[in-house]
Amino acid sequence: MLRLNLSHKASKFLKKLPSKQAQQIALKIQQLRQDPYPQDSIKLKGFPFRRADLGEYRIIYYIQADILEILIIGKRNDDEVYKQLKRQF
């Protein structure tokens, strides 16, 4: 199983969520630790990152050696996730 590294931005977003949604995202992150390339993940064009969807949320992540790096978690129907990604990288 991969080790987990949650960015400050992703951690901050999770803390603001209601507990039900936060638990669902935490479960998805655990699944990504076991299988970082599930069928529902997509490689993002122009970036070395992948995207996984969970309900109305998106998780932007990448694998570095044996670490799952979660960069951003955000609303699925909002392009703000991608704007944040472009600002960071």
Side-chain angles (χ1 to χ4, degrees), residues 15-72:
K15 288 178 184 176
K16 291 181 181 179
L17 286 177
S19 64
K20 181 180 177 183
Q21 285 83 2
Q23 288 175 354
Q24 290 172 340
I25 291 174
L27 179 62
K28 180 66 173 183
I29 290 172
Q30 288 302 320
Q31 291 170 354
L32 288 172
R33 288 180 67 197
Q34 293 175 0
D35 178 15
Y37 304 108
Q39 279 187 323
D40 66 342
S41 77
I42 297 171
K43 184 173 181 333
L44 297 178
K45 293 179 184 177
F47 295 101
F49 311 126
R50 298 187 70 82
R51 176 193 88 200
D53 295 340
L54 175 70
E56 62 182 82
Y57 298 99
R58 290 200 171 157
I59 302 170
I60 308 296
Y61 69 97
Y62 71 100
I63 309 301
Q64 182 177 8
D66 64 340
I67 301 172
L68 173 65
E69 300 272 352
I70 306 290
L71 300 174
I72 301 173

